[in-house]
Amino acid sequence: MNQQDFQQIRKHLYRGELAVALRQMQPLLDALRNPKLHERQQQLLHDYQLIIDYLRQGVNDPQRDELYARLLRKCDALVYNIETHTAIRDLRSFADAYSRLGNHPIDMEQIKPKLEQFVGNVALLDFESEENHDKLSAQIYQEHHEWISTVFDAIWISETWGKGDEDYCSELILSPTIDINDALLLTSAITLSLFFHFDLRKSETLLRVCQETTDVALRQRAFVGWALTLPANSQLYPQVKSMVSTFCENVQHVSELIELQMQIYLCMNAENDHAEIQRDIMPNIINHSNLKITRFGIEEKDDDPLEDILHPEAADHAMEAVEQSFQKMLDMQKAGADIYFGGFSQMKRFPFFYRTSNWFEPFYVNHPELRSSVEKLKGSQLMRHIFESGPFCDSDKYSFVLAMKSVIDRIPDNMREMINSEDMLGAVMTPEEMLTPVYKRRMYLQDLYRFFRLSDAKAGLRNPFSSPDDENKNGVGELFLANKLFLHTAVGSQLVTLCSFLAKRKLFQPLQRLLDAYQDVDDIHLLYYRGFAAHQSQDYPLAKKFYQQILQQQPEHKKALQGFAKACYFDGDYAEAADAYEQLLAIAPDHIPTQKKYCICLINTGRTEEAAKRLYQLDFEKPGDWDVVRILAWTLLVGGKQAQAQTEYRRLLASGKKRAEDVLNAALCVWAGGNIAEAVTMLSEYQKSSTTGKKLLAELLKEKEMLSTYGISVYQIIMMADAIGS
């Protein structure tokens, strides 16, 4: 399936070139040999020709623009349907879904009665005898699972909807007479269809469900699906812009959009979180726990009585280390990290996940494909803990139960006790926490992330967790708030929260893209982040410009003053930087990092006497700060006081805190004092210990002006480098 063909046709549609688009779809129609689609194309050509004929006759039709826009939308719908049938032909997931439908479309009118019948049948189970209950229950859930999964497939690969389809599905999902799990699953089916291609009616269905439902989980599914599937180019559908603008008039809605954007990046960091856990946390837990890993599995270590005598407090320290490691994981989870992705990503190859609908099925113990697993786990409290606690998303709960089925018989008795304990699943959420919109949204996003990261069925769908590129059909990528639909809404008023989040997590590229998108937003806080982003991209003149604009409005804006000072410093404008640091010291005179930077600026502007005086005082007040000694030694050397500088370098090298550059600078100092032999020795040591890979000659030439004040010429520098063997 060649996505580029469809993208090219849509480019013509967005430019209003209807005739070109209709011609370019002809090879695709010929390949499909679908009479119905071909007939629709011919009808569009006929209707367009009528408009052209009337135009040639000189008829002044005031409705001509509207008629043409309507034909463009019909053509876009036809492209959608051609793309859907092409996907059914070329993509395995679409073909499998189509084959499960039995080549017969589901009658929409059948869906609601069947879903209501299921609710009634489940209710009647309470009146069955114990002997018949389990058998009848299994049959009811099996038949229902097959039906609702087929409906999921039908919606997912459906063609464009009409107004009747929108009304029927909206009312169906919002109906209190169907099971809430069915409503959730159907919402995901619509979302998946929209990830394939935008359909106004399906999008309006999700928004209507989002705005009218009282169920928190259902609202969040609909909200996520609607927000992440909005088109980047809405030229053909002006209703979308109005829809988004109206939605964003509610301040709470805007806050949720900002939260959703942040949660997407937290999901996308799952692999990094897993790596951190494996690198920094799990080894600590294993090393300090009473467990050992053998080729036969994980076993408990035998207690060593001698250890209790020699190190009576060791056990307490080990327990404290394990508790701290667990607490770190809990803190990561509370902050929104997806700490379970790494482990459960290995458990998505069960046949259960071959069916696309199962990736989005809310967890319930009566799921027919869990029956054998549930039977195996009978008598344990594990199922209840999974259902009632909240550390896992639904997809991971299914993975966990399916995985436990294969190992439950081989688990030792003491491990079985642990499985039945309340602490088995780690961080258990309170019922109140599990009902919050933030939690429900996070769990659903994790389900979505696992699907797009691990499922083969994602082929042909726009990935909401990927960067914008040719594969990402809406051109916005994971930063959905950069969609121009949001640009002139109230989102701009809350953008600072998102900027702060991105900056703290060092997501500088998305931060720059966001700021570029909202260039028209006039906000002093955003101006600061524009300066910050420019600084991170090393565009220091631009960063200075933004910070200066802030300082013109608020001269005592501390963060802007700090940013301006740093930008000047890295831009080599040491005089401006010194002035800025002087202002900062007037606000916080005891701030050591500012004093150090100020002194470096003084050195670079020739004010070495002033710098040395400050540094001597700092060294007296803060003994042991070797950075102060480094700066002081260099200040003295640059200021022509070689003997005093050598004293400080000797002290620094003897401190046990020396760095490679300290050896280099000390060598320059003794060389400046005329001790060439010692300089050769020290430079040789530097050359051996330096891991930067920098050439010695290049390093020496950086200081040619300073060395020239001590009578050392460029020729002598070159010869020294040759003598060392650089």
Side-chain angles (χ1 to χ4, degrees):
M1 181 175 176
N2 193 341
Q3 295 281 358
Q4 292 181 349
D5 291 339
F6 295 99
Q7 290 174 15
Q8 190 63 37
I9 293 172
R10 289 197 176 95
K11 283 181 181 177
H12 290 298
L13 283 175
Y14 297 150
R15 290 199 291 258
E17 300 167 354
L18 177 62
V20 179
L22 287 168
R23 284 197 303 270
Q24 285 199 350
M25 70 173 63
Q26 189 63 54
L28 300 172
L29 283 168
D30 292 342
L32 283 176
R33 297 180 181 178
N34 186 310
K36 183 180 175 182
L37 296 177
H38 181 73
E39 183 181 337
R40 288 178 61 177
Q41 182 220 24
Q42 291 302 306
Q43 184 62 51
L44 283 170
L45 284 168
H46 176 266
D47 292 345
Y48 179 55
Q49 191 59 49
L50 285 177
I51 294 177
I52 296 299
D53 289 343
Y54 280 112
L55 183 65
R56 284 173 178 160
Q57 294 169 19
V59 177
N60 186 15
D61 185 355
Q63 300 298 317
R64 186 172 289 138
D65 282 354
E66 177 53 36
L67 288 171
Y68 191 76
R70 195 179 305 164
L71 289 181
L72 286 170
R73 288 193 289 273
K74 286 183 177 181
C75 187
D76 185 56
L78 178 57
V79 175
Y80 182 137
N81 296 339
I82 294 172
E83 191 173 12
T84 300
H85 285 272
T86 305
I88 291 170
R89 184 195 66 191
D90 296 346
L91 298 178
R92 177 68 179 273
S93 56
F94 276 71
D96 288 348
Y98 186 73
S99 66
R100 285 192 291 264
L101 296 176
N103 297 326
H104 297 292
I106 285 182
D107 182 359
M108 282 280 197
E109 299 300 323
Q110 294 179 359
I111 300 176
K112 188 175 182 184
K114 282 210 170 192
L115 296 185
E116 290 175 333
Q117 183 183 5
F118 166 70
V119 174
N121 289 340
V122 171
L124 290 174
L125 285 174
D126 292 339
F127 300 99
E128 291 293 331
S129 64
E130 188 175 342
E131 182 182 352
N132 294 332
H133 182 279
D134 289 350
K135 182 179 179 181
L136 189 57
S137 174
Q139 180 184 342
I140 289 171
Y141 279 102
Q142 179 66 49
E143 291 175 354
H144 177 69
H145 173 62
E146 287 300 322
W147 167 253
I148 194 64
S149 297
T150 304
V151 174
F152 179 97
D153 290 335
I155 292 175
W156 166 33
I157 66 170
S158 63
E159 295 186 355
T160 50
W161 282 3
K163 178 61 176 171
D165 298 319
E166 176 191 338
D167 290 340
Y168 182 86
C169 284
S170 298
E171 292 167 9
L172 171 67
I173 294 173
L174 290 166
S175 173
T177 59
I178 71 168
D179 189 271
I180 186 61
N181 283 354
D182 293 341
L184 291 165
L185 190 60
L186 296 181
T187 301
S188 290
I190 298 172
T191 298
L192 217 58
S193 179
L194 284 164
F195 279 128
F196 181 66
H197 182 58
F198 179 76
D199 181 342
L200 179 63
R201 297 301 184 187
K202 291 173 185 173
S203 183
E204 288 177 335
T205 299
L206 290 183
L207 182 58
R208 181 173 168 185
V209 171
C210 170
Q211 292 179 321
E212 295 183 21
T213 185
T214 57
D215 184 89
V216 179
L218 181 56
R219 182 183 183 281
Q220 290 307 314
R221 281 210 184 197
F223 166 63
V224 169
W226 175 77
L228 298 187
T229 58
L230 289 168
N233 192 323
S234 59
Q235 185 176 341
L236 299 180
Y237 304 98
Q239 307 97 311
V240 178
K241 187 172 182 61
S242 175
M243 183 169 63
V244 172
S245 296
T246 302
F247 184 82
C248 292
E249 288 174 359
N250 185 308
V251 177
Q252 181 58 35
H253 291 169
V254 174
S255 296
E256 288 183 314
L257 287 167
I258 298 291
E259 288 174 356
L260 172 59
Q261 184 66 82
M262 293 190 291
Q263 286 178 310
I264 285 174
Y265 282 109
L266 290 171
C267 281
M268 291 174 64
N269 201 52
E271 278 96 340
N272 292 334
D273 291 333
H274 175 66
E276 181 181 349
I277 290 170
Q278 294 297 106
R279 182 184 65 248
D280 301 334
I281 297 177
M282 291 309 298
N284 201 33
I285 292 174
I286 295 295
N287 292 338
H288 291 93
S289 67
N290 195 34
L291 300 173
K292 62 179 178 180
I293 300 176
T294 72
R295 61 192 181 95
F296 301 108
I298 299 176
E299 300 176 359
E300 285 190 84
K301 297 176 185 175
D302 294 329
D303 291 334
D304 185 353
L306 185 60
E307 186 69 16
D308 290 337
I309 297 171
L310 297 177
H311 306 287
E313 297 179 356
D316 290 338
H317 290 318
M319 180 60 70
E320 184 179 343
V322 171
E323 288 176 353
Q324 288 175 351
S325 296
F326 273 117
Q327 187 59 50
K328 186 174 181 180
M329 279 201 295
L330 297 185
D331 291 341
M332 288 173 67
Q333 186 183 27
K334 287 178 181 177
D338 186 356
I339 66 173
Y340 296 110
F341 173 79
F344 284 107
S345 64
Q346 309 302 316
M347 302 183 192
K348 302 301 183 187
R349 293 300 172 189
F350 293 109
F352 177 88
F353 292 105
Y354 293 171
R355 189 149 194 170
T356 305
S357 59
N358 281 338
W359 287 85
F360 304 100
E361 184 81 71
F363 182 81
Y364 66 106
V365 294
N366 289 311
H367 194 296
E369 295 181 57
L370 286 188
R371 192 175 304 130
S372 58
S373 301
V374 172
E375 287 292 325
K376 277 257 187 182
L377 297 174
K378 267 187 177 177
S380 79
Q381 297 295 313
L382 180 62
M383 297 298 293
R384 181 179 66 82
H385 295 334
I386 291 176
F387 194 75
E388 293 179 357
S389 64
F392 307 151
C393 63
D394 289 318
S395 172
D396 287 354
K397 288 179 180 180
Y398 283 118
S399 294
F400 190 83
V401 173
L402 292 166
M404 287 302 297
K405 172 195 171 184
S406 60
V407 300
I408 191 70
D409 293 334
R410 299 195 294 271
I411 295 178
D413 291 339
N414 59 340
M415 292 289 285
R416 284 177 182 269
E417 290 180 17
M418 185 177 73
I419 287 174
N420 285 323
S421 74
E422 295 286 342
D423 298 327
M424 169 60 190
L425 299 181
V428 177
M429 309 290 289
T430 66
E432 293 76 20
E433 288 173 319
M434 292 171 65
L435 289 174
T436 61
V438 172
Y439 171 80
K440 294 291 187 185
R441 193 186 315 123
R442 182 198 307 164
M443 293 297 102
Y444 183 52
L445 280 171
Q446 289 181 9
D447 282 327
L448 273 174
Y449 183 73
R450 281 148 180 71
F451 172 78
F452 279 103
R453 186 72 177 78
L454 304 169
S455 173
D456 294 335
K458 67 179 180 294
L461 305 181
R462 181 181 62 78
N463 186 345
F465 301 98
S466 68
S467 298
D469 51 29
D470 291 338
E471 182 184 351
N472 200 315
K473 292 188 286 184
N474 82 342
V476 176
E478 86 294 350
L479 189 62
F480 77 93
L481 282 181
N483 190 325
K484 57 187 176 184
L485 288 167
F486 293 105
L487 300 191
H488 300 290
T489 68
V491 167
S493 65
Q494 295 193 34
L495 215 57
V496 173
T497 302
L498 180 56
C499 289
S500 175
F501 171 87
L502 295 172
K504 286 177 181 177
R505 292 187 165 267
K506 299 183 179 179
L507 297 169
F508 303 129
Q509 188 177 27
L511 175 61
Q512 188 63 65
R513 284 166 50 206
L514 185 71
L515 293 169
D516 288 345
Y518 288 84
Q519 286 184 359
D520 295 338
V521 179
D522 184 17
D523 182 280
I524 196 166
H525 300 294
L526 285 186
L527 203 55
Y528 169 76
Y529 283 109
R530 294 189 201 285
F532 177 83
H535 188 118
Q536 294 304 320
S537 62
Q538 298 183 357
D539 190 344
Y540 303 121
L542 183 60
K544 289 193 289 185
K545 175 186 171 184
F546 286 129
Y547 290 132
Q548 281 177 318
Q549 289 177 15
I550 298 172
L551 294 170
Q552 286 170 3
Q553 300 177 51
Q554 297 182 16
E556 296 184 359
H557 194 293
K558 187 177 177 181
K559 281 191 172 183
L561 192 56
Q562 288 173 330
F564 179 71
K566 288 180 182 178
C568 290
Y569 179 87
F570 286 106
D571 197 34
D573 190 352
Y574 295 109
E576 284 275 19
D579 289 343
Y581 281 124
E582 195 168 347
Q583 293 178 57
L584 287 167
L585 287 173
I587 299 170
D590 296 327
H591 192 250
I592 304 300
T594 302
Q595 293 198 49
K596 293 176 185 176
K597 282 285 196 310
Y598 179 54
C599 288
I600 294 173
C601 291
L602 292 178
I603 298 167
N604 284 287
T605 52
R607 298 158 66 183
T608 54
E609 289 285 346
E610 189 178 344
K613 183 178 178 182
R614 279 182 168 272
L615 289 164
Y616 272 124
Q617 184 176 348
L618 270 178
D619 186 36
F620 176 76
E621 294 173 351
K622 302 287 182 181
D625 189 332
W626 296 105
D627 280 336
V628 170
V629 178
R630 284 184 182 92
I631 301 169
L632 173 59
W634 186 253
T635 303
L636 294 168
L637 182 59
V638 171
K641 298 181 179 180
Q642 185 274 335
Q644 292 98 315
Q646 187 167 318
T647 300
E648 300 303 327
Y649 277 120
R650 301 273 189 217
R651 184 158 68 104
L652 182 58
L653 295 180
S655 69
K657 302 290 185 180
K658 72 177 181 181
R659 301 172 184 166
E661 59 266 28
D662 295 332
V663 178
L664 173 63
N665 293 335
L668 298 180
C669 184
V670 296
W671 188 10
N675 193 337
I676 297 175
E678 188 176 2
V680 169
T681 301
M682 296 176 78
L683 287 173
S684 298
E685 179 189 343
Y686 166 76
Q687 186 78 330
K688 291 176 184 177
S689 63
S690 177
T691 58
T692 61
K694 294 178 180 178
K695 294 288 186 181
L696 179 59
L697 178 58
E699 291 298 295
L700 295 177
L701 286 173
K702 287 180 183 178
E703 309 304 336
K704 62 182 179 180
E705 290 184 12
M706 183 273 294
L707 290 172
S708 69
T709 63
Y710 288 97
I712 299 172
S713 68
V714 171
Y715 293 157
Q716 292 180 54
I717 292 174
I718 295 171
M719 288 187 285
M720 176 64 83
D722 289 341
I724 303 301
S726 176

